[in-house]
Amino acid sequence: MGLLSEGSPLSWPETKELADHVRKHGITQFINLYNLLKDRQGDVLKWGDEIEYMLVKFNHETKKAQLSLRGQDLLPVLQITEKETPEKATSLWRPEFASYMIEGTPGKPYGGLLAHFNIVEANMKNRRQEVCALLEKDEQILSITAFPRLGCEGFCVPEAKPDPVNSASRSLFFPDEAIYLAHPRFRTLTRNIRERRGEKVAINVPIFKDINTPSPFMEDLTVLGDDGEKGRSALPDHIYMDAMGFGMGQCCLQLTFQACNIKEARTLYDQLTPMCPIMLALTAASPLQRGYIADTDCRWNIISSSVDCRTREERGLEPLKTNRYRIYKSRYDSIDSYLSPEGERYNDIPLVIDQEAYKRMRDAGIDHLLAQHVAHLFIRDPVSLFSEKVNQNDEEDSDHFENLQSTNWQTMRFKPPPPKSTIGWRVEFRPCEAQITDFENAAYVCFIVLLTRVIVTYGLNFLIPISKVDENMKRAQKRDAILNQKFWFRKDLVSQSSPTDAESTARQEQICVEMTIGEIINGKGEEFQGLLPLISSYLSTVEVDADTHCTIHQYLRLIQKRASGDLMTTAHWIREFVTKHPDYKGDSVVSEGINYDLLTTMNSIQNGTIECPSLLDHPRTKTQSSIPETIRMAENCPSTC
Ligand code: GLU
Ligand code: MG
């Protein structure tokens, strides 16, 4: 989840005092990095996935499933190979926000060879096995986005009680023990975000109203020691949550690409932006929150509220007195501006920027689009700072830049090369929700990577006004968005011609139309070709071995059927599981027993002991752990690639 500086965390008042210092040096560091690396060329396409996992402990006697707070026990062991013999590491492991979470990536990035698509899933399986080897009896690792009863009484083991008076979050539900405490970053972020905001974070998710759900739905939380804030913050007919952990304690699937140079990185950043809401809807997997069925399918807005450090003034609830800006979005949200010259005309939402930072970057020769992007990230205060890191060498360090960059959690992230490394300009694709199986996670990853190949090879253009992408983000999170919503998408992906600035907004709007995700992915007759047919025609022009071909085919079929609604999204399947469960009382409640049955079923689907055709069909990929030598040679690639 970002920069893991070691050291002694400063309090919020101390951090606030140093905010200008961090921003000033952060900008100097960015300018230095930019000047050093702006002309860097010739990096090859490399890419990798990141999956966040949850550790779950099952009690098969009492029929209970709880989150196991053992991340800090497992990580040091999981990291031994990387530390001692990094060349042998097939997976890399990092802590995440919660002590029941861990994050895994492949040991080495994948490259440009098509055969790499055939080792993604095997690597994911192997990653899981590395963890399984360390688990206790009845403990499992699950790649699920949301734990259905997160924050309910006894949701974790060892059991821990929330402390609304002294804990970092002051939550009524989420104890500090569920935060990953072996690194100070996460608890510090929790406390500082709350203190900066001036009150607890408030998350309100619309509840799914079933036949027996009380109306209005309003919980009495006084028994939990309600501190009065709940009374102010909780909305009727919503599931109320009050801690960073409810958001950052959810898991996702991310992808990072290395581009050949900064220009290509900007293009990929922009071109993938309109795909963010589409992929969010396609991967929707989190309809259960704090023991209730929500009326939404995705984690996005929940995480957004869970780290919303804006004060009342910044949120526009009070006139600006002590703060600098009215800020329209949380630090975790969709991006606000495109970065490539082609994207510029579609930057149509207000962009608040740090003027001083902008001017310094412009004076240093950085172009308008990049300067405004960074100056926008820099309207935020740092929310975690370590005393040992306050004074840095701006020629060599980039921690102050990274501090703000890594606490702007947006749908896309534009990443400059780290100082003194062999890594190039990268972009990160961050909207997807984690799926139950390695097959699905691999399928989504390969689909997005293939799409970037198609975009770059054919020079396709996906750009639509940013305001339309934001509108799509809202629609993507609605219940069954795949079945019920339409999304703005560019009509003509091939033509580069776009209305000029001088032309009217009305004309700009004509470049996109509303379509279902089925139409966007699979095509709409003569009117729209569809993304999968484009990928298929690309694949028909390149050499690919039979096994990889078979695997890719299965991945694309999953995407095709999820998009058309022939297969369920994870969210839809979870809803159905709960509402059809014999114990379910039509009251929107996910009981302990339903939670147990759901998670054991998900675990069995994951490890293949039960099939789930309504979600997956009958996948049998030919994934393997390494690329056979003959194929390497056939694709004319040295064994290091
Ligand atoms: N868990 C967060 C999410 O689901 C992402 C945290 C990170 O940036 O790694 O989006
Ligand atoms: Mg992460």
Side-chain angles (χ1 to χ4, degrees):
M1 189 187 126
L3 183 67
L4 290 171
S5 299
E6 299 286 340
S8 332
L10 298 177
S11 69
W12 169 242
E14 290 164 336
T15 307
K16 186 177 173 184
E17 202 58 31
L18 288 162
D20 282 333
H21 168 90
V22 172
R23 273 189 291 264
K24 186 170 145 231
H25 290 277
I27 293 296
T28 309
Q29 293 172 1
F30 179 71
I31 292 172
N32 290 342
L33 268 179
Y34 177 82
N35 283 334
L36 210 62
L37 298 159
K38 62 180 191 300
D39 299 322
R40 189 186 163 111
Q41 295 291 340
D43 288 308
V44 294
L45 169 72
K46 282 189 184 165
W47 55 278
D49 66 89
E50 265 170 56
I51 301 180
E52 296 167 346
Y53 301 89
M54 290 194 192
L55 301 165
V56 176
K57 175 101 177 171
F58 291 97
N59 185 326
H60 300 298
E61 269 90 64
T62 58
K63 302 247 176 280
K64 226 173 152 170
Q66 292 169 295
L67 284 167
S68 171
L69 309 184
R70 291 214 314 126
Q72 51 266 54
D73 301 343
L74 302 185
L75 269 160
V77 189
L78 288 168
Q79 290 174 332
I80 290 176
T81 319
E82 178 187 353
K83 290 222 166 91
E84 291 178 357
T85 43
E87 67 292 347
K88 292 203 182 122
T90 50
S91 327
L92 306 179
W93 296 98
R94 297 289 174 266
E96 248 305 333
F97 178 86
S99 51
Y100 53 80
M101 283 166 92
I102 46 172
E103 179 182 290
T105 58
K108 282 181 211 59
Y110 304 114
L113 222 53
L114 277 175
H116 278 125
F117 291 120
N118 208 26
I119 59 174
V120 175
E121 189 182 337
N123 184 278
M124 289 175 180
K125 283 188 203 300
N126 178 67
R127 223 180 283 172
R128 226 179 253 275
Q129 274 154 15
E130 282 184 28
V131 180
C132 284
L134 306 177
L135 295 178
E136 291 174 349
K137 184 170 172 290
D138 299 332
E139 211 176 20
Q140 295 291 347
I141 167 175
L142 297 179
S143 49
I144 51 172
T145 296
F147 182 78
R149 284 178 57 85
L150 186 66
C152 296
E153 204 188 331
F155 78 91
C156 58
V157 58
E159 288 200 18
K161 285 247 167 304
D163 180 349
V165 180
N166 299 308
S167 64
S169 65
R170 302 281 196 269
S171 173
L172 301 174
F173 319 98
F174 197 97
D176 275 3
E177 287 83 345
I179 302 175
Y180 186 87
L181 297 175
H183 193 287
R185 170 179 169 87
F186 306 106
R187 191 173 185 279
T188 307
L189 283 173
T190 307
R191 181 198 60 202
N192 289 357
I193 285 174
R194 174 179 55 76
E195 289 192 20
R196 186 185 189 287
R197 179 178 163 94
E199 56 193 17
K200 286 201 294 189
V201 294
I203 308 160
N204 281 289
V205 184
I207 191 155
F208 170 71
K209 280 279 187 80
D210 210 339
I211 42 169
N212 295 325
T213 313
S215 206
F217 170 80
M218 201 70 209
E219 294 170 284
D220 177 11
L221 298 172
T222 42
V223 281
L224 300 176
D226 183 0
D227 50 5
E229 269 194 32
K230 188 251 156 190
R232 276 197 292 141
S233 309
L235 302 177
D237 290 333
H238 285 71
I239 308 161
Y240 167 70
M241 294 173 276
D242 63 350
M244 181 168 172
F246 281 108
M248 284 298 184
Q250 303 202 31
C251 297
C252 67
L253 166 70
Q254 294 167 339
L255 264 166
T256 301
F257 304 91
Q258 173 174 277
C260 66
N261 55 26
I262 186 172
K263 182 168 180 289
E264 189 184 79
R266 287 167 177 235
T267 303
L268 284 177
Y269 180 90
D270 286 6
Q271 294 297 337
L272 286 175
T273 292
M275 286 307 295
C276 290
I278 311 299
M279 295 312 294
L280 181 61
L282 268 171
T283 56
S286 42
L288 309 180
Q289 301 290 337
R290 200 166 67 68
Y292 294 106
I293 310 179
D295 204 28
T296 51
D297 275 357
C298 302
R299 80 197 189 292
W300 195 264
N301 281 354
I302 300 173
I303 310 191
S304 179
S305 307
S306 84
V307 289
D308 190 354
C309 67
R310 291 172 303 159
T311 63
R312 294 179 67 78
E313 291 178 23
E314 288 168 339
R315 280 179 279 145
L317 300 173
E318 287 172 15
L320 279 180
K321 276 205 293 280
T322 50
N323 290 123
R324 297 193 293 166
Y325 321 102
R326 162 84 175 91
I327 302 179
Y328 298 95
K329 289 182 185 175
S330 161
R331 309 173 79 107
Y332 183 106
D333 220 311
S334 49
I335 68 152
D336 292 299
S337 67
Y338 289 118
L339 277 177
S340 68
E342 298 73 31
E344 183 165 15
R345 68 187 80 235
Y346 302 110
N347 285 337
D348 67 337
I349 60 171
L351 194 72
V352 186
I353 60 169
D354 181 318
Q355 288 295 347
E356 196 187 312
Y358 175 77
K359 183 165 184 317
R360 284 186 57 210
M361 286 184 276
R362 294 292 281 141
D363 290 346
I366 299 178
D367 63 281
H368 164 67
L369 288 169
L370 186 55
Q372 76 168 8
H373 165 76
V374 176
H376 177 57
L377 303 181
F378 272 63
I379 59 173
R380 312 284 170 175
D381 280 342
V383 271
S384 141
L385 186 62
F386 297 96
S387 56
E388 295 82 350
K389 290 281 175 181
V390 173
N391 295 312
Q392 297 175 18
N393 175 351
D394 292 340
E395 304 291 326
E396 287 180 3
D397 297 327
S398 64
D399 268 41
H400 284 323
F401 169 71
E402 279 298 327
N403 185 326
L404 286 157
Q405 156 98 332
S406 74
T407 50
N408 270 276
W409 298 278
Q410 298 179 330
T411 36
M412 300 289 307
R413 190 176 279 162
F414 185 70
K415 297 168 87 159
K420 295 205 206 113
S421 83
T422 53
I423 302 172
W425 292 89
R426 288 153 304 153
V427 296
E428 198 176 311
F429 185 76
R430 305 169 45 86
C432 295
E433 309 225 319
Q435 307 293 294
I436 302 171
T437 63
D438 297 322
F439 166 70
E440 296 159 278
N441 285 320
Y444 283 109
V445 163
C446 292
F447 170 70
I448 286 293
V449 180
L450 275 168
L451 197 62
T452 61
R453 300 275 174 95
V454 173
I455 293 170
V456 173
T457 311
Y458 297 146
L460 298 183
N461 184 1
F462 284 20
L463 300 172
I464 58 172
I466 285 269
S467 59
K468 293 274 189 282
V469 180
D470 276 0
E471 174 56 33
N472 283 351
M473 283 298 289
K474 292 193 192 122
R475 297 180 186 180
Q477 301 179 59
K478 296 205 162 135
R479 175 158 52 89
D480 283 332
I482 295 275
L483 305 177
N484 305 324
Q485 298 293 318
K486 290 196 167 181
F487 292 81
W488 292 104
F489 211 77
R490 194 175 173 98
K491 249 191 312 206
D492 177 2
L493 305 179
V494 182
S495 118
Q496 294 297 320
S497 71
S498 300
T500 60
D501 292 337
E503 287 175 281
S504 68
T505 324
R507 174 85 209 283
Q508 283 212 18
E509 287 189 357
Q510 286 166 15
I511 61 127
C512 51
V513 285
E514 288 175 290
M515 287 187 277
T516 63
I517 289 195
E519 290 164 347
I520 294 170
I521 298 288
N522 297 322
K524 188 183 181 192
E526 295 287 289
E527 274 170 63
F528 185 74
Q529 187 171 5
L531 304 183
L532 279 179
L534 278 166
I535 291 179
S536 299
S537 59
Y538 165 76
L539 284 172
S540 66
T541 63
V542 289
E543 288 279 319
V544 56
D545 67 278
D547 284 356
T548 305
H549 185 273
C550 162
T551 300
I552 293 178
H553 180 68
Q554 303 214 23
Y555 292 160
L556 298 184
R557 209 172 49 194
L558 177 83
I559 309 289
Q560 175 212 328
K561 293 196 167 178
R562 286 260 169 104
S564 65
D566 291 331
L567 289 177
M568 294 176 187
T569 60
T570 310
H572 188 98
W573 179 84
I574 292 174
R575 273 177 198 288
E576 235 187 64
F577 187 97
V578 175
T579 52
K580 289 193 171 154
H581 192 283
D583 292 354
Y584 177 65
K585 301 196 172 58
D587 55 0
S588 318
V589 173
V590 186
S591 66
E592 196 98 70
I594 299 177
N595 184 55
Y596 168 85
D597 285 341
L598 175 62
L599 292 173
T600 41
T601 307
M602 283 173 151
N603 189 46
S604 305
I605 294 172
Q606 191 312 109
N607 63 30
T609 47
I610 60 171
E611 293 219 333
C612 189
S614 57
L615 189 65
L616 304 174
D617 229 337
H618 298 280
R620 293 281 177 274
T621 67
K622 301 230 166 130
T623 184
Q624 44 196 304
S625 53
S626 61
I627 301 176
E629 206 46 45
T630 45
I631 292 168
R632 267 187 204 288
M633 282 164 55
E635 293 201 36
N636 196 16
C637 181
S639 59
T640 49
C641 79

